[in-house]
Amino acid sequence: MSADAPVVRAVNLVKIYQTGGLPVPAVRGVDLTVEAGEFVAIMGPSGSGKSTLVHMLGGLDTRTSGEIWLDGRRADTLSESGWAVLRREKIGFVFQFFNLVANMTVADNVELPALLGGVSPRQARERREYLLGELGLTDRAGASPAQLSGGEQQRVALARALANQPRLLLADEPTGNLDSRNTRDVLRLLGQVHGQGQTIALVTHDARVASMADRVVSLLDGQIVDDGAIPKSRRRPLGGAGDVVELRS
Amino acid sequence: MRQSLLALLAKEPAHGYELKQALETIFGGAYPSPNIGQIYVTLGRLEKDGHVRSVDVEQANRPNKKVYYITATGREALENWVEEPTEGPRVRDEFFMKLVLAPMTGLSDRMALVNRQRRHYLALMRDLRELAERTDPANRVALLLIEGAMLHLQADLDWLERCQEDLP
């Protein structure tokens, strides 16, 4: 909304699951701000609350208490349909399980959010061609999701999330199902869109993905235990004379 | 480096500078560019051990050059090196020593140590990623070395997480 409001601001965010008898706290008082254009990686052991946190930021899970502000606007008090509108306008989300529309082609899955966002069919097609091209999926455009491998579906989900050039890209383990080569395509695309100003907050345990970020947030037991920039490494830069391998004489 | 020089000499005789160039071409930016002095020191040791011999080759208008070739003993040593299993991953880890010992001295708490180390590993990962991007895609050897280093780094990060979970 306002130009200098952070894209994400979470204040004392809490999530407690009540499964059966005992309440289980998943997120315990998280304060997190993501500025426009920032790329934040969220890391932590399984069960530390990372997925719950990004799901709440995308309105896919309700908060128990605390506040969520997106683009300067209070979001935690929105109804489900209010969230649906907000997501369509501002958020691209990549799930661990891809949630593609089964009876639509890959191309239509990717173009749909852009068309719903109000761009022309030609622009939606061009954006789709660019995204699928970068992800090595050009020749899969006419396929249906069921014909794709898990890794292909995950990349289509990323293309779909970026179709709209959303104010915020949220992702939960976006390379979780990818081999090395496909991960490289995803890293290159994330680097490109981040370079174009895309704000990104994603959960990952993949250090290659996390190393693309400006900032790393580490969670443990539902709380942030570290939040800061990735430093410049203090070693001499790897280069023509790299030192990946230790020389022994 | 002894074995890499022996392996190169098993292919064909060469002088020191040619060996340096061959290592650089094969391993690309993933390998520390060997210093020529180090190569001559190693060749000297190999010669002393009877693994290589050298001959002086006369050159027109230039000083003689010393060409090295592998001996039967050297070839045998190389065969043994190729056949024996290679050491597995290290079990002594300097960071782990700090993590266990430093809190006892009151010098640092574990949370701060782990957090600093995580950021450092990620910085190293960024360097490796950028090195991979700069490396000629046709140089499979260099790229595989870099990928191996990345996988080790990922394992170090996963282990860091386990330390953070399990050490009080």
Side-chain angles (χ1 to χ4, degrees):
Chain A
M1 202 173 251
S2 107
D4 34 37
V7 175
V8 179
R9 192 161 73 90
V11 185
N12 199 15
L13 202 56
V14 172
K15 176 69 183 183
I16 298 170
Y17 287 107
Q18 189 91 39
T19 43
L22 285 173
V24 181
V27 172
R28 305 188 299 163
V30 161
D31 294 312
L32 177 69
T33 300
V34 181
E35 301 291 345
E38 243 188 326
F39 183 163
V40 175
I42 301 168
M43 303 189 85
S46 60
S48 59
K50 345 180 265 293
S51 288
T52 305
L53 176 61
V54 286
H55 278 81
M56 285 194 288
L57 296 179
L60 301 162
D61 207 344
T62 56
R63 53 111 178 81
T64 304
S65 65
E67 296 172 16
I68 299 169
W69 296 73
L70 291 176
D71 223 7
R73 199 172 131 200
R74 182 92 186 248
D76 57 275
T77 49
L78 291 174
S79 64
E80 241 175 80
S81 59
W83 266 110
V85 172
L86 183 64
R87 269 198 304 275
R88 198 177 68 208
E89 289 173 351
K90 307 223 165 193
I91 304 174
F93 203 109
V94 187
F95 302 86
Q96 259 185 69
F97 306 99
F98 328 108
N99 301 42
L100 298 173
V101 182
N103 58 4
M104 281 169 46
T105 63
V106 164
D108 289 344
N109 263 284
V110 176
E111 287 183 28
L112 184 64
L115 293 171
L116 289 174
V119 311
S120 74
R122 194 172 65 89
Q123 284 172 308
R125 196 188 66 235
E126 284 170 0
R127 178 80 177 157
R128 178 259 294 174
E129 285 168 352
Y130 160 70
L131 291 167
L132 291 183
E134 288 300 313
L135 294 168
L137 291 168
T138 300
D139 57 351
R140 309 298 272 150
S144 76
Q147 294 171 301
L148 304 181
S149 71
E152 288 171 330
Q153 291 187 51
Q154 189 159 40
R155 281 174 289 152
V156 173
L158 176 62
R160 179 185 57 181
L162 288 168
N164 223 0
Q165 297 175 272
R167 186 80 176 127
L168 172 65
L169 176 69
L170 289 172
D172 191 2
E173 297 287 4
T175 57
N177 294 277
L178 302 183
D179 64 20
S180 220
R181 186 158 36 100
N182 293 331
T183 295
R184 225 163 32 231
D185 290 341
V186 166
L187 292 178
R188 202 184 49 226
L189 180 60
L190 287 176
Q192 271 179 30
V193 295
H194 178 46
Q196 292 156 11
Q198 178 68 53
T199 310
I200 303 172
L202 56 76
V203 166
T204 187
H205 78 278
D206 187 327
R208 288 166 301 176
V209 179
S211 74
M212 309 269 309
D214 305 306
R215 218 172 103 206
V216 179
V217 169
S218 297
L219 286 180
L220 187 67
D221 292 333
Q223 291 179 308
I224 290 179
V225 293
D226 192 32
D227 181 348
I230 301 175
K232 294 251 178 294
S233 67
R234 281 164 297 167
R235 300 206 297 191
R236 67 197 157 84
L238 296 168
D243 50 358
V244 170
V245 181
E246 302 291 337
L247 255 194
R248 270 180 250 153
S249 57
Chain B
M1 186 151 74
R2 288 173 71 96
Q3 284 79 7
S4 19
L5 296 186
L6 275 183
L8 290 173
L9 292 174
K11 194 169 137 249
E12 61 193 345
H15 57 88
Y17 190 70
E18 282 171 339
L19 294 169
K20 174 178 158 69
Q21 282 180 315
L23 285 174
E24 282 168 358
T25 310
I26 295 168
F27 294 104
Y31 204 79
S33 182
N35 142 342
I36 190 73
Q38 214 176 349
I39 286 182
Y40 281 117
V41 167
T42 309
L43 285 170
R45 286 185 194 145
L46 285 168
E47 193 165 21
K48 207 175 100 220
D49 295 342
H51 291 176
V52 304
R53 295 259 176 280
S54 61
V55 286
D56 280 331
V57 175
E58 280 182 39
Q59 300 192 104
N61 309 325
R62 296 169 74 183
N64 290 356
K65 76 180 174 183
K66 216 170 188 186
V67 171
Y68 292 84
Y69 61 94
I70 195 165
T71 63
T73 322
R75 203 170 281 276
E76 201 178 313
L78 184 64
E79 275 167 22
N80 288 339
W81 175 66
V82 170
E83 277 166 23
E84 75 191 3
T86 308
E87 271 314 302
R90 64 178 190 261
V91 283
R92 281 168 300 162
D93 184 281
E94 189 185 346
F95 173 73
F96 192 68
M97 295 299 140
K98 284 187 200 175
L99 191 63
V100 171
L101 298 175
M104 295 179 189
T105 66
L107 286 174
S108 185
D109 69 276
R110 290 208 170 106
M111 193 68 88
L113 279 173
V114 168
N115 288 339
R116 201 179 314 133
Q117 192 68 12
R118 183 191 302 107
R119 293 193 199 187
H120 177 61
Y121 282 155
L122 291 174
L124 295 179
M125 183 60 95
R126 186 173 48 201
D127 288 349
L128 287 172
R129 230 184 50 243
E130 287 168 1
L131 176 62
E133 282 161 19
R134 283 198 305 273
T135 299
D136 175 5
N139 192 340
R140 292 274 174 80
V141 171
L143 286 171
L144 278 171
L145 268 176
I146 297 166
E147 189 173 344
M150 286 176 158
L151 289 167
H152 280 287
L153 203 47
Q154 179 73 53
D156 285 336
L157 265 163
D158 293 346
W159 190 42
L160 203 58
E161 213 159 66
R162 294 287 307 117
C163 293
Q164 193 160 38
E165 280 182 296
D166 274 19
L167 280 178

PDB file of all heavy atoms in Angstrom, chain A residues 43 147 150 157 201-202 206:
ATOM      1  N   MET A  43      15.343 -21.028   7.880  1.00  0.00           N
ATOM      2  CA  MET A  43      15.914 -22.356   8.086  1.00  0.00           C
ATOM      3  C   MET A  43      15.602 -22.849   9.495  1.00  0.00           C
ATOM      4  O   MET A  43      15.196 -22.076  10.353  1.00  0.00           O
ATOM      5  CB  MET A  43      17.436 -22.328   7.881  1.00  0.00           C
ATOM      6  CG  MET A  43      17.865 -21.816   6.522  1.00  0.00           C
ATOM      7  SD  MET A  43      19.645 -22.028   6.220  1.00  0.00           S
ATOM      8  CE  MET A  43      19.690 -23.710   5.600  1.00  0.00           C
ATOM      9  N   GLN A 147       0.863 -35.978 -15.986  1.00  0.00           N
ATOM     10  CA  GLN A 147       1.894 -36.557 -16.862  1.00  0.00           C
ATOM     11  C   GLN A 147       3.307 -36.139 -16.450  1.00  0.00           C
ATOM     12  O   GLN A 147       4.276 -36.564 -17.059  1.00  0.00           O
ATOM     13  CB  GLN A 147       1.652 -36.117 -18.310  1.00  0.00           C
ATOM     14  CG  GLN A 147       0.365 -36.675 -18.895  1.00  0.00           C
ATOM     15  CD  GLN A 147       0.043 -36.057 -20.241  1.00  0.00           C
ATOM     16  OE1 GLN A 147      -0.103 -34.844 -20.355  1.00  0.00           O
ATOM     17  NE2 GLN A 147      -0.055 -36.899 -21.260  1.00  0.00           N
ATOM     18  N   GLY A 150       7.473 -35.498 -10.272  1.00  0.00           N
ATOM     19  CA  GLY A 150       7.369 -34.626  -9.097  1.00  0.00           C
ATOM     20  C   GLY A 150       8.207 -33.364  -9.253  1.00  0.00           C
ATOM     21  O   GLY A 150       7.762 -32.265  -8.939  1.00  0.00           O
ATOM     22  N   ALA A 157       4.905 -25.279 -10.404  1.00  0.00           N
ATOM     23  CA  ALA A 157       4.317 -24.532  -9.287  1.00  0.00           C
ATOM     24  C   ALA A 157       5.077 -23.225  -9.061  1.00  0.00           C
ATOM     25  O   ALA A 157       4.480 -22.188  -8.753  1.00  0.00           O
ATOM     26  CB  ALA A 157       4.325 -25.377  -8.018  1.00  0.00           C
ATOM     27  N   ALA A 201      10.403 -14.714   0.440  1.00  0.00           N
ATOM     28  CA  ALA A 201      10.623 -15.329   1.750  1.00  0.00           C
ATOM     29  C   ALA A 201      10.366 -16.802   1.566  1.00  0.00           C
ATOM     30  O   ALA A 201       9.264 -17.196   1.175  1.00  0.00           O
ATOM     31  CB  ALA A 201       9.686 -14.735   2.800  1.00  0.00           C
ATOM     32  N   LEU A 202      11.382 -17.622   1.800  1.00  0.00           N
ATOM     33  CA  LEU A 202      11.170 -19.046   1.577  1.00  0.00           C
ATOM     34  C   LEU A 202      11.811 -19.894   2.655  1.00  0.00           C
ATOM     35  O   LEU A 202      12.803 -19.520   3.270  1.00  0.00           O
ATOM     36  CB  LEU A 202      11.663 -19.465   0.183  1.00  0.00           C
ATOM     37  CG  LEU A 202      13.088 -19.207  -0.262  1.00  0.00           C
ATOM     38  CD1 LEU A 202      14.062 -20.182   0.367  1.00  0.00           C
ATOM     39  CD2 LEU A 202      13.169 -19.347  -1.779  1.00  0.00           C
ATOM     40  N   ASP A 206      17.968 -26.446   1.991  1.00  0.00           N
ATOM     41  CA  ASP A 206      18.985 -26.570   0.957  1.00  0.00           C
ATOM     42  C   ASP A 206      19.916 -25.350   1.016  1.00  0.00           C
ATOM     43  O   ASP A 206      19.504 -24.226   0.742  1.00  0.00           O
ATOM     44  CB  ASP A 206      18.292 -26.654  -0.408  1.00  0.00           C
ATOM     45  CG  ASP A 206      19.280 -26.957  -1.534  1.00  0.00           C
ATOM     46  OD1 ASP A 206      20.439 -26.522  -1.446  1.00  0.00           O
ATOM     47  OD2 ASP A 206      18.871 -27.627  -2.501  1.00  0.00           O
TER      48      ASP A 206
END
